[in-house]
Amino acid sequence: MYDKLHLYDEIRKDWLREGLKQAEYMVAAGLALISRAAMEGGVSPTEAYAVSDVFYQRLEKCKTQKEMYQLSSEIQRTYVKMVQERKKEKKNRSAY
């Protein structure tokens, strides 16, 4: 019985690890896509890459899927705000 429980526990740990890694890959892929979309929206490549580097470092420190998905939401809000600010700046410059 103990052997079966131990085996189940090991399998469960593998599933959790795989789930964490899959979530990390998903957030990283989303970060790459949204940073490129932000550049198309007017954010400078230097700024977009600098922000993505910080987010990649924070992603590596996440310990749970929940933390990763919360970070993903923060990533989206950050880049959307950056694009909105660039568009507003561009509009203000063209008004003069």
Side-chain angles (χ1 to χ4, degrees), residues 35-66:
S35 65
R36 285 171 180 78
M39 286 183 259
E40 291 178 14
V43 176
S44 74
T46 302
E47 186 178 11
Y49 287 132
V51 171
S52 71
D53 286 345
V54 171
F55 280 127
Y56 280 121
Q57 291 170 8
R58 289 182 55 196
L59 178 59
E60 289 177 355
K61 293 178 184 177
C62 289
K63 302 282 188 230
T64 66
Q65 287 182 356
K66 182 178 179 180

Side-chain angles (χ1 to χ4, degrees), residues 51-86:
V51 171
S52 71
D53 286 345
V54 171
F55 280 127
Y56 280 121
Q57 291 170 8
R58 289 182 55 196
L59 178 59
E60 289 177 355
K61 293 178 184 177
C62 289
K63 302 282 188 230
T64 66
Q65 287 182 356
K66 182 178 179 180
E67 289 176 352
M68 291 178 192
Y69 294 135
Q70 288 172 336
L71 180 63
S72 179
S73 293
E74 183 181 346
I75 289 166
Q76 293 171 31
R77 287 189 307 272
T78 299
Y79 278 102
V80 166
K81 185 176 179 180
M82 290 168 66
V83 170
Q84 289 173 338
E85 289 171 355
R86 294 316 159 273

Side-chain angles (χ1 to χ4, degrees), residues 12-28 59-69:
R12 188 179 62 80
K13 287 178 187 177
D14 285 344
W15 285 341
L16 290 173
R17 277 193 295 270
E18 287 176 19
L20 281 176
K21 194 49 83 171
Q22 184 177 4
E24 182 180 356
Y25 292 153
M26 189 173 81
V27 174
L59 178 59
E60 289 177 355
K61 293 178 184 177
C62 289
K63 302 282 188 230
T64 66
Q65 287 182 356
K66 182 178 179 180
E67 289 176 352
M68 291 178 192
Y69 294 135

